[in-house]
Amino acid sequence: MARGETDSRIDRMARGETRGQTRAPTTRARERGELSREEIAEVALALADREGVDAVTMRGLARELGVGAMTLYGYFRSKDELMDAAADRAAEEVSLPSREGPWRRQLRALVGEMHRVLQRHPSGFQLRSQRPLISRGVMRTTNAGLAILREAGFDKVRAARAWRCLFVYTFGFAGFNPESVPEETRQEWKARGLTFPPDELPWVVDALPELIETMTGSDPFFHGLDLILDGLAAQLEASGAEEI
Amino acid sequence: MARGETDSRIDRMARGETRGQTRAPTTRARERGELSREEIAEVALALADREGVDAVTMRGLARELGVGAMTLYGYFRSKDELMDAAADRAAEEVSLPSREGPWRRQLRALVGEMHRVLQRHPSGFQLRSQRPLISRGVMRTTNAGLAILREAGFDKVRAARAWRCLFVYTFGFAGFNPESVPEETRQEWKARGLTFPPDELPWVVDALPELIETMTGSDPFFHGLDLILDGLAAQLEASGAEEI
DNA sequence: ACCTGAACACCGTTCAAGT
DNA sequence: ACCTGAACACCGTTCAAGT
């Protein structure tokens, strides 16, 4: 198949072709060893992390790479395909944890690592939430999570549900992390504070500092994660621990 | 204050001014009783739900309302402000549950209602995740959640953390709900399936039907929610149940 | 064979001219 | 006083012309 019309982004992703083996361009930039699917995706990811996903334009990205805007279309079929490759690059940064020790610790390490990668790449969430991405880089993580859960004694159904919950929580947290929100908006937010009428929102006003505290750093992430892990431990115990 | 430069969208939101009391335009459309901040936000939300957030343009929205594009700027300072009002409209649809019965049932009802509203408004997630929104319509829900948790016996810190976890999970689920993804992409996804090499992703291949099952309907949402509620129940029990 | 400027059909928003 | 077309500076992508 010579890059025909039917070779969708998902085909490429599924084959792990994020490194542009299908093409060997010989542009000026390429001779400097700078241009490839991989390199373009990396610069796009960095740009998205630095200035926001919306700030990534084909023209701007090309300028950053020292090529014409249209050159990018020699490597990617569309901007969507390019951004998927950027998302995949971030996903590939998740390193799988050691398979030693109790399941709970392994799972916490894996999900914690996903969280850390998402912190390092604030655009990772938006890149993934706009369009679901199925790629080897992404599925590696799912596979690792399922492995831990299944070997801990969860059956297929419970393992799949558990992973879905952990995944959704981890990405959801990244998506509502005010630290990945433009500084301007955060300032406006904080300055205004939560000046709500206490008679209407008594519990919010009462727990204001605590609410704000859950908006900073990674601690709140791990508190929520431990809640889910507690739920999973209880479920495993209730379903009979004969497998341990 | 006569709509001065310092009257930001957050000020308006905090005062609950989503109904445009500050202005009484008398355009043709207005005489037909069709134009107001509220009406514009509603049509924008419906359009976003129907065709996707990206499909909402000032020109297109104005056309739908039977006015010129620039007329919208008489009601909203910018497209961002308009979209925030649309998000707020969706948030206002969350109806607070009865305060009777056990805390767990109340919390499940509240979070389930948030989930249902997010299903009804697929754009709700994207509208909220791009920019955090602080408005009375949004904080009502936070207040209700905190009320249930505090009265159940959780202290301020634990209640705030618990709410953050539930909120992030609920919105995260909505954001990764393939049912809110364009049909075209879903088809491509399903048709291709997960044709990964079994030796590389054994656990994924093994639990493929179960994984796909977690991508459909609301059941997986409630499974994950119950996991979190189990964790909360265990936490409450461990911290001493003297308050019950 | 590969790269890319010009052009097309958009976009949010400003501005000045309409009524 | 209120509404809005034209215009500006963008955008992703097509196309045809460059080398």
Side-chain angles (χ1 to χ4, degrees), chain A residues 155-225:
Chain A
D155 61 32
K156 288 188 197 183
V157 171
R158 287 186 202 278
R161 287 178 186 166
W163 183 253
R164 172 96 167 129
C165 178
L166 290 165
F167 175 86
V168 152
Y169 170 69
T170 304
F171 272 81
F173 190 94
F176 288 91
N177 187 356
E179 291 174 61
S180 69
V181 149
E183 183 57 26
E184 178 207 351
T185 309
R186 282 170 62 196
Q187 286 303 331
E188 194 182 2
W189 216 39
K190 255 194 181 146
R192 275 293 129 200
L194 302 161
T195 56
F196 294 103
D199 51 321
E200 235 182 279
L201 301 168
W203 298 102
V204 169
V205 173
D206 183 50
L208 216 57
E210 288 79 9
L211 279 172
I212 292 173
E213 199 265 340
T214 68
M215 302 298 223
T216 321
S218 281
D219 283 356
F221 173 77
F222 287 100
H223 291 132
L225 175 56

Side-chain angles (χ1 to χ4, degrees), chain B residues 204-220:
Chain B
V204 169
V205 172
D206 183 50
L208 214 58
E210 289 79 9
L211 278 172
I212 291 174
E213 199 266 339
T214 67
M215 301 300 224
T216 322
S218 281
D219 283 356

Side-chain angles (χ1 to χ4, degrees), chain A:
Chain A
M1 174 171 51
R3 285 185 83 242
E5 292 301 309
T6 58
D7 187 21
S8 76
R9 71 182 173 89
I10 287 180
D11 291 287
R12 284 159 166 259
M13 287 292 181
R15 295 198 308 272
E17 288 180 11
T18 47
R19 288 179 187 79
Q21 305 94 321
T22 49
R23 217 179 224 275
T26 45
T27 74
R28 205 181 69 244
R30 175 68 181 78
E31 276 158 21
R32 280 186 275 127
E34 276 183 17
L35 219 50
S36 64
R37 275 176 75 92
E38 200 176 24
E39 171 66 17
I40 294 169
E42 182 166 315
V43 173
L45 177 61
L47 186 59
D49 287 335
R50 203 171 64 240
E51 300 180 23
V53 171
D54 292 343
V56 180
T57 67
M58 295 303 264
R59 287 172 171 91
L61 178 59
R63 200 183 320 119
E64 191 129 332
L65 287 160
V67 297
M70 290 318 300
T71 303
L72 300 177
Y73 287 88
Y75 297 83
F76 298 94
R77 205 93 55 84
S78 67
K79 190 187 180 189
D80 278 355
E81 189 182 286
L82 197 162
M83 296 311 265
D84 280 345
D88 196 51
R89 261 198 90 75
E92 279 173 353
E93 283 187 26
V94 176
S95 69
L96 305 184
S98 154
R99 292 304 317 275
E100 281 162 31
W103 67 269
R104 188 175 168 139
R105 197 207 311 238
Q106 289 182 44
L107 203 52
R108 200 175 193 274
L110 174 60
V111 178
E113 167 70 2
M114 285 167 63
H115 170 70
R116 246 168 276 120
V117 170
L118 246 11
Q119 296 252 104
R120 188 157 64 232
H121 297 292
S123 68
F125 164 81
Q126 209 181 329
L127 252 21
R128 288 280 294 279
S129 71
Q130 309 246 9
R131 263 181 328 283
L133 175 65
I134 303 186
S135 67
R136 199 180 295 186
V138 167
M139 295 314 278
R140 260 170 69 242
T141 316
T142 307
N143 190 68
L146 286 178
I148 297 166
L149 285 159
R150 293 303 310 281
E151 289 178 0
F154 292 90
D155 61 32
K156 288 188 197 183
V157 171
R158 287 186 202 278
R161 287 178 186 166
W163 183 253
R164 172 96 167 129
C165 178
L166 290 165
F167 175 86
V168 152
Y169 170 69
T170 304
F171 272 81
F173 190 94
F176 288 91
N177 187 356
E179 291 174 61
S180 69
V181 149
E183 183 57 26
E184 178 207 351
T185 309
R186 282 170 62 196
Q187 286 303 331
E188 194 182 2
W189 216 39
K190 255 194 181 146
R192 275 293 129 200
L194 302 161
T195 56
F196 294 103
D199 51 321
E200 235 182 279
L201 301 168
W203 298 102
V204 169
V205 173
D206 183 50
L208 216 57
E210 288 79 9
L211 279 172
I212 292 173
E213 199 265 340
T214 68
M215 302 298 223
T216 321
S218 281
D219 283 356
F221 173 77
F222 287 100
H223 291 132
L225 175 56
D226 286 331
L227 234 37
I228 298 171
L229 294 174
D230 284 345
L232 285 173
Q235 189 181 75
L236 188 62
E237 211 170 329
S239 74
E242 71 268 15
E243 231 160 322
I244 295 181

Side-chain angles (χ1 to χ4, degrees), chain B residues 83-156:
Chain B
M83 296 311 266
D84 280 344
D88 196 51
R89 261 198 90 76
E92 279 172 354
E93 282 187 27
V94 175
S95 71
L96 305 184
S98 154
R99 292 305 316 278
E100 281 163 31
W103 67 268
R104 189 175 167 139
R105 197 207 313 239
Q106 289 182 43
L107 204 52
R108 201 175 193 273
L110 174 61
V111 178
E113 167 71 2
M114 287 167 63
H115 170 69
R116 247 167 276 120
V117 170
L118 245 12
Q119 296 252 104
R120 190 157 61 233
H121 297 293
S123 68
F125 165 80
Q126 209 180 328
L127 253 19
R128 289 279 295 278
S129 71
Q130 309 247 8
R131 265 180 325 282
L133 176 64
I134 303 186
S135 67
R136 200 179 295 186
V138 167
M139 295 316 277
R140 260 169 71 244
T141 315
T142 308
N143 190 68
L146 287 177
I148 297 166
L149 285 160
R150 293 301 312 282
E151 289 178 2
F154 291 90
D155 62 32
K156 288 188 199 183

